[in-house]
């Protein structure tokens, strides 16, 4: 392939998610790292002396890899994740190793859901999911500011209710 | 019954259901009854009174079910009330009805009844995805079918008995040759074996007690191993072929594909079945496309099967089948006829090949797992002394290579006047013709590796069938251009300036 690598000729969506989403992604990753590392560490401590040597090694390795992810990846995610809602369409970009651009026409939107997980509530964040008639079509914008999410959901609901038909 | 002021009268299921419900229940209990009688388990009380009690319960359940089930079709809804202690009310808006499916199992057929299955698009309003009327008389079922698919149809029985019908395809018995080449051949042989085994088991007979079987087993164990393998696999193949032929005949006997004129522009109807008669009707307004599926064996035999892509069709293996496995040309013809399109503009459209980078990706994705398996085989072969395991596993490499090349050769996409045509797959090759108007969104996916190779996966999102149909590994710029050309208004605002 000749450089520079040809990226997808789509412009990125206009808006970034809330900067607090970085904290959210960090916390989530940290919880997972803890859940994986803690049992290994506990086992290594309880069996101290008789514990096989590799147990400490794997525990240390997963801890280092996990912490590296926690430090490096969330800011990357923040830079990649973008969204945009126009009069005609909802447009999102997400993913890290596999990037995903999703476009759903407003005229085909059936439901608009807002979701606050426990961590998201703590950080005053929310996710908005827009569902179309297709089983493969839901478009989710994660890590929005709570107020912005509510406003977006209200606006989307209004627009979709104004559209006649059953959106298939 | 007279019409109520607020709409159509409530109707009941056919009176014959009072007999059919207990009878089908009893048939399902028949193996148990036979077992009880044959094995002479229990005393007289158990052998006589328990079955009588069960029979009485079945009859009462049948009467209650008939008494408590009511349905009606109003101007804009189909409503069904069922249940006695736990009442259920289902209601489906008529403008959401996508398909009407009539099924008559054997008992139903003896009594001249049909189950009406109404398939609806599941919506946001909390309505269920459909309902079933089990069962009404055949004439009532046919009337309901036409009434539900054709909203303009009057609810009176004085309509013309036959709508104009166009026959698009019918069964040719020469297609039986494709039956052993489908996956159901394996399922069929499994079913035959399971049935035979169950029969032996239910009768309490050990197969080894049957005279001849034991001798045969002795001969097999005495013979050289290759002969044993040969004989057993030969028997398996014969059973699979017979099972698949029977299954094909049961499924596709009296197959006919017709088009009926309705006020909304027509409906496709598939009728088939030997013991269980089925009729599937799809309103053409709900048709979003068609696909021609070629599982590898069927492809080797130059056969293919056509399915309809419509909203509201069930997603199981039989859902939407427009035709039995048939010669490839015939399958493409039926797909085109169903879509009212020339085959060259539907599934037979000349496709655009994908870039060489797609071939490299197919190769790495097939060869890396194969190489991993080979190295594991070598390691295991050394650990457990089985020196032939490693070298034998080398055969995986050319197989994976052939698979990758075939997968690449099958990749293709094209945009025709009214359809997007996409093809992919090797073990199961699918050619999809999706209506451009049926595309309700796009998903572009690009991994780090695809990004480096300048490729992208473009998925057309639709309400029908699998929900999304991907074009694998197309050049990034071409993929976006393809999607943009399909739905010009949707994508244009998001295209990069320089690319336009």
């Amino acid at each position: 392939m000749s450089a520079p690598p040809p990226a997808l000729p789509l412009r990125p969506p206009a808006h970034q998610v809330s900067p607090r989403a970085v904290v959210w992604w960090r916390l989530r990753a940290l919880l997972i790292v803890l859940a994986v590392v803690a049992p290994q560490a506990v086992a290594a401590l309880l069996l101290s002396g008789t514990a096989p040597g590799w147990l400490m090694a794997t525990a240390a390795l997963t801890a280092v890899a996990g912490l590296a992810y926690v430090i490096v990846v969330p800011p990357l995610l923040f830079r990649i994740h973008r969204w945009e809602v126009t009069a005609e369409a909802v447009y999102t970009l997400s993913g890290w190793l596999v990037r995903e651009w999703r476009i759903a026409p407003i005229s085909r939107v059936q439901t608009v859901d807002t979701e606050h997980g426990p961590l998201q509530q703590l950080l005053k964040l929310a996710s908005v999911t827009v569902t179309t008639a297709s089983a493969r079509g839901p478009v989710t914008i994660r890590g929005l500011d709570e107020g912005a999410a509510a406003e977006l959901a209200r606006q989307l609901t209004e627009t979709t209710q104004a559209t006649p038909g059953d959106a298939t | 019954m007279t019409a109520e002021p607020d709409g159509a009268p409530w109707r009941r299921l056919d009176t014959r259901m009072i007999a059919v419900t207990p009878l089908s229940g009893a048939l399902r209990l028949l193996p148990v009854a036979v077992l009880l009688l044959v094995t002479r388990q229990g005393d007289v009380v158990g052998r006589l009174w328990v079955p009588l009690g069960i029979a009485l319960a079945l009859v009462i359940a049948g009467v209650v079910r008939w008494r408590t089930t009511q349905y009606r079709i109003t101007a804009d809804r189909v409503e069904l009330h069922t249940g006695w202690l736990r009442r259920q009310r289902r209601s489906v808006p008529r403008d959401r009805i996508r398909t009407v499916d009539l099924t008559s199992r054997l008992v139903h057929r003896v009594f001249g009844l049909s189950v009406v299955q109404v398939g609806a698009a599941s919506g946001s309003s909390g309505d269920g995805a459909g309902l079933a009327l089990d069962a009404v008389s055949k004439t009532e079922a046919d009337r309901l079918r036409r009434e539900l698919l054709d909203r303009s149809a009057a609810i009176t029985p004085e309509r013309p008995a036959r709508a104009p019908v166009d026959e698009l395809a019918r069964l040719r018995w020469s297609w039986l040759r494709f039956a052993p080449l489908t996956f159901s051949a394996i399922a069929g042989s499994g079913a035959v074996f399971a049935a035979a085994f169950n029969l032996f088991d239910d009768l309490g007979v050990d197969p080894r007690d049957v005279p001849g079987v034991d001798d045969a087993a002795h001969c097999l164990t005495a013979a050289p191993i290759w002969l044993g393998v040969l004989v057993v696999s030969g028997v398996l193949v014969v059973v699979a072929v017979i099972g698949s032929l029977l299954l094909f005949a049961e499924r596709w006997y009296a197959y006919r594909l017709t088009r009926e004129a309705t006020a909304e522009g027509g409906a496709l109807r598939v009728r088939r079945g030997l013991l269980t008669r089925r009729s599937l009707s799809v309103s053409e307004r709900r048709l979003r496309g068609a696909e021609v599926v070629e599982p590898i064996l069927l492809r080797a035999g130059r056969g293919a099967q056509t399915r309809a892509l419509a909203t509201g069709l069930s997603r199981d293996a039989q859902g939407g089948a427009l035709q039995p496995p048939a010669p490839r040309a015939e399958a493409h013809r039926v797909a085109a006829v169903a879509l009212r399109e020339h085959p060259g503009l539907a599934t037979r459209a000349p496709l655009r090949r994908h870039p060489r980078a797609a071939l490299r990706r197919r190769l790495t994705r097939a060869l890396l797992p194969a190489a991993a398996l080979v190295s594991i085989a070598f390691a295991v072969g050394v650990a457990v002394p089985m020196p032939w395991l490693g070298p034998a596993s080398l055969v995986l490499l050319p197989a994976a290579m052939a698979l990758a090349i075939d997968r690449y050769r099958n990749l293709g996409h094209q945009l025709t006047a009214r359809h997007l045509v996409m093809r992919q797959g090797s073990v199961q090759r699918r050619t999809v013709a999706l209506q451009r108007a049926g595309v309700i969104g796009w998903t572009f996916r690009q991994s780090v590796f695809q990004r480096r190779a300048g490729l992208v996966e473009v998925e057309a999102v639709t309400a029908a069938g699998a929900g999304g149909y991907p074009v694998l590994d197309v050049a990034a710029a071409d993929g976006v251009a393809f999607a943009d050309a399909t739905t010009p208004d949707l994508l244009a605002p998001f295209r990069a300036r320089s690319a336009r």
Side-chain angles (χ1 to χ4, degrees), chain A residues 8 10 91-93 99-103, chain B residues 442-444 446:
Chain A
L8 205 60
L10 285 176
Y91 175 33
T92 65
L93 169 55
R99 293 196 190 175
E100 201 170 84
W101 291 255
R102 281 177 171 263
I103 296 162
Chain B
W442 292 97
T443 303
F444 299 88
Q446 196 176 46

Side-chain angles (χ1 to χ4, degrees), chain A residues 1 5-12 84 86 88-91 96-106 108 110-111 132-137 165-168, chain B residues 95-96 98 124 286 288 315 437 440-448 451-454 456 459 461-463 466-468 476-477 480 490-491 493-496 499:
Chain A
M1 279 292 115
L8 205 60
L10 285 176
R11 69 168 174 77
E84 182 174 342
T86 67
E88 280 85 37
V90 183
Y91 175 33
W96 169 47
L97 292 175
V98 180
R99 293 196 190 175
E100 201 170 84
W101 291 255
R102 281 177 171 263
I103 296 162
I106 294 272
R108 305 305 180 101
Q110 287 191 332
T111 61
T132 60
S134 166
R136 300 284 288 274
D166 60 359
T168 57
Chain B
D95 61 356
R96 281 188 182 267
R98 303 296 184 255
S124 50
R286 305 303 181 188
R288 294 289 177 269
R315 280 175 203 147
I440 58 167
W442 292 97
T443 303
F444 299 88
R445 244 176 247 115
Q446 196 176 46
S447 71
V448 176
R451 203 175 159 78
R452 268 212 229 125
V456 68
E459 185 175 71
V461 174
T462 176
V480 172
L490 185 58
L491 221 63
F494 305 127
R495 289 191 72 174

Side-chain angles (χ1 to χ4, degrees), chain B residues 122-141:
Chain B
S122 54
S124 50
S125 52
D127 289 310
L131 51 81
L133 303 178
D134 182 5
V136 294
S137 72
K138 268 188 183 146
T139 45
E140 169 75 354

Side-chain angles (χ1 to χ4, degrees), chain B residues 227-244:
Chain B
L227 191 64
V229 170
L230 211 67
V231 168
V232 168
S233 45
V235 168
L236 276 177
V237 165
V238 168
V239 170
V241 167
I242 292 172
S244 67

Side-chain angles (χ1 to χ4, degrees), chain A residues 62-126:
Chain A
T62 40
V64 168
L67 287 179
Y69 180 94
V70 168
I71 292 165
V72 174
V73 175
L76 272 178
L77 288 176
F78 177 71
R79 270 184 32 213
I80 295 167
H81 279 236
R82 286 175 158 270
W83 63 276
E84 182 174 342
V85 175
T86 67
E88 280 85 37
V90 183
Y91 175 33
T92 65
L93 169 55
S94 62
W96 169 47
L97 292 175
V98 180
R99 293 196 190 175
E100 201 170 84
W101 291 255
R102 281 177 171 263
I103 296 162
I106 294 272
S107 58
R108 305 305 180 101
V109 169
Q110 287 191 332
T111 61
V112 181
D113 299 318
T114 319
E115 189 194 317
H116 312 248
L119 278 180
Q120 286 187 319
Q121 284 183 34
L122 206 69
L123 295 163
K124 300 210 180 311
L125 293 173

